[in-house]
Amino acid sequence: DLIADLAAGFETGRLAGLRVLVTAGPTREAIDPVRYVSNRSSGRMGYAVAAAAREAGARVTLVSGPVALDGPPGIERVMVETAEEMRAAVRAQLPGCDIFIGAAAVADYRPAQAAAQKLKKRDANLSLDLVRNPDILAEVAQGEPRPFTVGFAAETGDLDANARTKRMQKSLDLIAANLVGPGLGFDAEDNALTLYWEGGSESLPRQSKPQLARELIAIVAQRFHDASSD
Amino acid sequence: DLIADLAAGFETGRLAGLRVLVTAGPTREAIDPVRYVSNRSSGRMGYAVAAAAREAGARVTLVSGPVALDGPPGIERVMVETAEEMRAAVRAQLPGCDIFIGAAAVADYRPAQAAAQKLKKRDANLSLDLVRNPDILAEVAQGEPRPFTVGFAAETGDLDANARTKRMQKSLDLIAANLVGPGLGFDAEDNALTLYWEGGSESLPRQSKPQLARELIAIVAQRFHDASSD
C-alpha cells in the first residue's frame, strides 16, 4: 500500500544524494618481501557497512585492505595493502565526501625498515623495530573541511571507557565499539556494537554483520541529519 | 585402448598404498589477541601437492595453516594456526607416514610473548622481541624413523646455492626451490620450481600450480622408489 511504499522509500533513501567513504579490512605492513605484520580483521563489518550505506541511497566508495571478499554491488572499491597506501587512497577520495566511516583495522605500527631481500634466519632471537603508522581516522576527523566522521574501536576490555576516550581524542562524531573475543568481532560472522556520540549512546545487540550494519547506518544517518540541521 | 589404460593406471598408481603427509599455508604468530606476524603464503602450492599425491593413489593428510581454500576432496585436513600447533599436528600424524612434504611457509620467528590484552599504542616506536620457531621440516628429516622428506625453499635471490645449502643443512631427500617476486611464487597462480636431490636436479618451468604439483609428485615418487630399492 501507499503508506508502506512511502515508508520504505523514506527508509531506503536516508542517505540519498550523499557521498559516503568507508575503509575496511586490515592493512599489511611488510617486514621483507614475504613476511608481514597484520591483524585478524576479515573486512566483513566494513563491507557490510558499505553495502548498508548503498542500500540507504548513498554513493559509496570502499577503500579496502587485503581481504577474501568480493566488492559489494554498486560500490566503487579501491584495494590497498599498507596503511600509507590506505591514507593516500582516502585523501584522494575525501573531496566531496559527506560521511567517512573508518572500519578498517589499520596497523598501528609498521616495521621501521622493510628489507628488500628475504631475511635469513640466523639468530635465536630477533628484535623488530616498529614505527607508528599514520592515524587515518584522526587525520580525517581533524582535517578541514571535514566529513561527519565515524570510527570503530575493537577492545579486549573496559569497552565503555576506552571507546569514549578514543572518540574524544580523535574528535569523532560517533564511535562504534565492540569487544573482541572468541566468536565475536574480528574474523567472526556475528558482532555486537555500542555506539557513542556527544551526549548519547546506544547498544546494538549481537546479530549478523549485515543486519548490524543496517542499524548502524540508520543511527549514523540520524546523527548526520541532526548535526547538519544544528 | 588397453595400453593407454594400463599406462594411465600406472601413472595414477605411483603412490598407491603409501601415506603422504603434506603441510601447507602460512602460520600466524600472535602479537596480542588481534595482531599477528605472518607471511604471504596462499597455501595453493601445498594444496595442489596434496591433491596430486591423492591423484597418484596415496592416502593423504594435509596439515594447513589459515588459508582461504577448501580442503581437496578425498584428503584428511587438519587446520592449525601457529607453528607450535603445526608441529604438534605433524607429530601426531607422522607414525606410519612414508613421505612428508613440507610446503607450509612456517613463520621462522614468533613474538617472545603474546600479550593477553590488546596492546595500547602509546609510543612512536616499539621494539618487538621475536624468538625462533621450531624447524618442523628439519625435525622430521632428522627424526627416527624418518619418512622420505621433501622441503620447499622460497628465495628472493641466489636460488641454486641457497636451495642446495638448505637441503644439506636440513637433511632433506629433495628440495623444491622457487624464486619469489612479482607474479611468481607466494600468493600467485603460477609458479616454477627447481628440484634438487643427492646427485641430481631438475627444473620445472613456469605453469599452473596444479600442473606443477603433478610433475613434482611424479619426481618425488620416482626418487622415493629409487631410495626404497637401494
Side-chain angles (χ1 to χ4, degrees), chain A residues 189-215:
Chain A
E189 298 287 346
D190 282 2
N191 202 2
L193 289 172
T194 305
L195 313 186
Y196 301 89
W197 59 89
E198 185 64 42
S201 74
E202 182 160 344
S203 286
L204 307 179
R206 181 172 177 157
Q207 54 195 305
S208 76
K209 288 179 176 178
Q211 190 50 39
L212 189 63
R214 286 185 199 104
E215 296 194 6

Short mmCIF file of all heavy atoms in Angstrom, two decimals, chain A residues 189-215:
data_model
loop_
_atom_site.label_atom_id
_atom_site.label_comp_id
_atom_site.label_asym_id
_atom_site.label_seq_id
_atom_site.Cartn_x
_atom_site.Cartn_y
_atom_site.Cartn_z
N GLU A 189 31.40 -14.12 12.25
CA GLU A 189 30.22 -13.84 11.45
C GLU A 189 29.30 -12.81 12.14
O GLU A 189 28.68 -12.00 11.48
CB GLU A 189 29.42 -15.12 11.22
CG GLU A 189 30.17 -16.20 10.44
CD GLU A 189 30.30 -15.87 8.95
OE1 GLU A 189 29.60 -14.96 8.48
OE2 GLU A 189 31.11 -16.52 8.28
N ASP A 190 29.22 -12.91 13.47
CA ASP A 190 28.34 -12.04 14.23
C ASP A 190 29.15 -10.94 14.93
O ASP A 190 30.36 -11.05 15.10
CB ASP A 190 27.63 -12.83 15.33
CG ASP A 190 26.47 -13.65 14.76
OD1 ASP A 190 26.27 -13.61 13.54
OD2 ASP A 190 25.80 -14.32 15.55
N ASN A 191 28.44 -9.93 15.34
CA ASN A 191 29.07 -8.89 16.13
C ASN A 191 27.99 -8.17 16.94
O ASN A 191 26.80 -8.28 16.65
CB ASN A 191 29.82 -7.90 15.23
CG ASN A 191 30.91 -7.15 15.97
OD1 ASN A 191 31.14 -7.38 17.16
ND2 ASN A 191 31.57 -6.25 15.28
N ALA A 192 28.41 -7.45 17.95
CA ALA A 192 27.55 -6.53 18.69
C ALA A 192 28.30 -5.22 18.78
O ALA A 192 29.53 -5.21 18.75
CB ALA A 192 27.27 -7.09 20.09
N LEU A 193 27.58 -4.11 18.83
CA LEU A 193 28.24 -2.80 18.87
C LEU A 193 27.56 -1.91 19.90
O LEU A 193 26.34 -1.96 20.07
CB LEU A 193 28.14 -2.10 17.50
CG LEU A 193 28.98 -2.66 16.35
CD1 LEU A 193 28.58 -1.95 15.05
CD2 LEU A 193 30.47 -2.49 16.62
N THR A 194 28.35 -1.09 20.55
CA THR A 194 27.78 0.02 21.32
C THR A 194 28.26 1.31 20.67
O THR A 194 29.46 1.47 20.42
CB THR A 194 28.22 -0.05 22.79
OG1 THR A 194 27.86 -1.33 23.32
CG2 THR A 194 27.52 1.04 23.61
N LEU A 195 27.28 2.20 20.38
CA LEU A 195 27.60 3.45 19.70
C LEU A 195 27.63 4.59 20.71
O LEU A 195 26.76 4.67 21.60
CB LEU A 195 26.54 3.75 18.63
CG LEU A 195 26.15 2.59 17.72
CD1 LEU A 195 25.20 3.08 16.63
CD2 LEU A 195 27.38 1.95 17.11
N TYR A 196 28.63 5.45 20.59
CA TYR A 196 28.76 6.62 21.47
C TYR A 196 28.86 7.86 20.62
O TYR A 196 29.60 7.90 19.64
CB TYR A 196 30.03 6.50 22.33
CG TYR A 196 30.09 5.27 23.20
CD1 TYR A 196 30.65 4.10 22.72
CD2 TYR A 196 29.60 5.29 24.51
CE1 TYR A 196 30.72 2.96 23.52
CE2 TYR A 196 29.66 4.17 25.31
CZ TYR A 196 30.22 3.01 24.82
OH TYR A 196 30.28 1.88 25.61
N TRP A 197 28.12 8.90 20.98
CA TRP A 197 28.27 10.20 20.35
C TRP A 197 28.17 11.27 21.43
O TRP A 197 27.97 10.94 22.61
CB TRP A 197 27.24 10.40 19.24
CG TRP A 197 25.80 10.29 19.70
CD1 TRP A 197 25.02 11.29 20.16
CD2 TRP A 197 25.00 9.10 19.73
NE1 TRP A 197 23.77 10.81 20.50
CE2 TRP A 197 23.72 9.48 20.23
CE3 TRP A 197 25.21 7.77 19.40
CZ2 TRP A 197 22.68 8.54 20.41
CZ3 TRP A 197 24.18 6.85 19.56
CH2 TRP A 197 22.94 7.25 20.06
N GLU A 198 28.32 12.52 21.06
CA GLU A 198 28.27 13.61 22.04
C GLU A 198 26.89 13.60 22.69
O GLU A 198 25.89 13.88 22.03
CB GLU A 198 28.51 14.94 21.32
CG GLU A 198 28.59 16.15 22.25
CD GLU A 198 29.78 16.06 23.19
OE1 GLU A 198 30.87 15.67 22.74
OE2 GLU A 198 29.60 16.36 24.41
N GLY A 199 26.83 13.22 23.97
CA GLY A 199 25.59 13.29 24.70
C GLY A 199 24.68 12.08 24.56
O GLY A 199 23.52 12.13 24.98
N GLY A 200 25.16 11.00 23.97
CA GLY A 200 24.28 9.83 23.84
C GLY A 200 25.03 8.55 23.56
O GLY A 200 26.22 8.56 23.23
N SER A 201 24.33 7.42 23.70
CA SER A 201 24.90 6.13 23.33
C SER A 201 23.76 5.15 23.08
O SER A 201 22.62 5.39 23.50
CB SER A 201 25.83 5.61 24.44
OG SER A 201 25.07 5.16 25.54
N GLU A 202 24.06 4.09 22.37
CA GLU A 202 23.05 3.06 22.10
C GLU A 202 23.74 1.73 21.87
O GLU A 202 24.74 1.67 21.14
CB GLU A 202 22.21 3.45 20.88
CG GLU A 202 21.11 2.44 20.60
CD GLU A 202 19.97 2.98 19.74
OE1 GLU A 202 19.86 4.22 19.59
OE2 GLU A 202 19.21 2.14 19.22
N SER A 203 23.18 0.68 22.47
CA SER A 203 23.75 -0.65 22.29
C SER A 203 22.95 -1.43 21.26
O SER A 203 21.73 -1.53 21.36
CB SER A 203 23.77 -1.42 23.61
OG SER A 203 24.78 -0.90 24.45
N LEU A 204 23.66 -1.98 20.27
CA LEU A 204 23.03 -2.83 19.26
C LEU A 204 23.41 -4.27 19.60
O LEU A 204 24.60 -4.59 19.64
CB LEU A 204 23.52 -2.45 17.86
CG LEU A 204 23.38 -0.97 17.49
CD1 LEU A 204 23.92 -0.73 16.08
CD2 LEU A 204 21.92 -0.54 17.58
N PRO A 205 22.41 -5.13 19.84
CA PRO A 205 22.72 -6.47 20.32
C PRO A 205 23.39 -7.34 19.25
O PRO A 205 23.39 -7.00 18.08
CB PRO A 205 21.35 -7.04 20.69
CG PRO A 205 20.39 -6.30 19.85
CD PRO A 205 20.97 -4.92 19.67
N ARG A 206 23.92 -8.46 19.71
CA ARG A 206 24.62 -9.39 18.82
C ARG A 206 23.71 -9.87 17.70
O ARG A 206 22.59 -10.32 17.94
CB ARG A 206 25.11 -10.59 19.64
CG ARG A 206 25.86 -11.60 18.81
CD ARG A 206 26.49 -12.68 19.66
NE ARG A 206 27.12 -13.66 18.81
CZ ARG A 206 28.10 -14.46 19.19
NH1 ARG A 206 28.56 -14.39 20.43
NH2 ARG A 206 28.64 -15.33 18.36
N GLN A 207 24.20 -9.77 16.47
CA GLN A 207 23.44 -10.18 15.30
C GLN A 207 24.40 -10.29 14.12
O GLN A 207 25.60 -10.03 14.26
CB GLN A 207 22.34 -9.16 15.01
CG GLN A 207 22.83 -7.72 14.89
CD GLN A 207 21.70 -6.71 14.97
OE1 GLN A 207 20.75 -6.79 14.23
NE2 GLN A 207 21.82 -5.75 15.88
N SER A 208 23.88 -10.68 12.97
CA SER A 208 24.74 -10.80 11.79
C SER A 208 25.31 -9.43 11.43
O SER A 208 24.67 -8.40 11.67
CB SER A 208 23.95 -11.36 10.61
OG SER A 208 23.13 -10.34 10.06
N LYS A 209 26.48 -9.42 10.82
CA LYS A 209 27.10 -8.15 10.47
C LYS A 209 26.28 -7.35 9.46
O LYS A 209 26.18 -6.13 9.60
CB LYS A 209 28.54 -8.38 10.01
CG LYS A 209 29.45 -8.75 11.18
CD LYS A 209 30.89 -9.02 10.80
CE LYS A 209 31.73 -9.28 12.06
NZ LYS A 209 33.14 -9.60 11.74
N PRO A 210 25.66 -7.98 8.45
CA PRO A 210 24.81 -7.18 7.53
C PRO A 210 23.66 -6.47 8.25
O PRO A 210 23.38 -5.30 8.00
CB PRO A 210 24.30 -8.23 6.53
CG PRO A 210 25.37 -9.26 6.50
CD PRO A 210 25.88 -9.34 7.92
N GLN A 211 22.99 -7.18 9.17
CA GLN A 211 21.87 -6.58 9.89
C GLN A 211 22.36 -5.49 10.84
O GLN A 211 21.76 -4.41 10.94
CB GLN A 211 21.11 -7.68 10.65
CG GLN A 211 19.77 -7.21 11.24
CD GLN A 211 18.90 -6.47 10.23
OE1 GLN A 211 18.82 -6.84 9.06
NE2 GLN A 211 18.26 -5.40 10.68
N LEU A 212 23.46 -5.78 11.52
CA LEU A 212 24.06 -4.81 12.43
C LEU A 212 24.46 -3.54 11.67
O LEU A 212 24.26 -2.41 12.15
CB LEU A 212 25.29 -5.44 13.08
CG LEU A 212 25.96 -4.71 14.23
CD1 LEU A 212 25.01 -4.56 15.41
CD2 LEU A 212 27.22 -5.47 14.66
N ALA A 213 24.99 -3.73 10.47
CA ALA A 213 25.43 -2.58 9.66
C ALA A 213 24.24 -1.70 9.29
O ALA A 213 24.35 -0.47 9.27
CB ALA A 213 26.14 -3.08 8.40
N ARG A 214 23.08 -2.31 9.00
CA ARG A 214 21.88 -1.52 8.67
C ARG A 214 21.46 -0.67 9.85
O ARG A 214 21.10 0.51 9.70
CB ARG A 214 20.73 -2.45 8.25
CG ARG A 214 20.92 -3.04 6.87
CD ARG A 214 19.73 -3.85 6.40
NE ARG A 214 20.17 -4.73 5.31
CZ ARG A 214 20.39 -6.05 5.42
NH1 ARG A 214 20.17 -6.68 6.57
NH2 ARG A 214 20.83 -6.73 4.38
N GLU A 215 21.50 -1.24 11.06
CA GLU A 215 21.12 -0.47 12.26
C GLU A 215 22.12 0.65 12.51
O GLU A 215 21.74 1.77 12.89
CB GLU A 215 21.02 -1.39 13.47
CG GLU A 215 19.90 -2.43 13.33
CD GLU A 215 19.58 -3.12 14.65
OE1 GLU A 215 20.13 -2.73 15.69
OE2 GLU A 215 18.76 -4.06 14.63
#
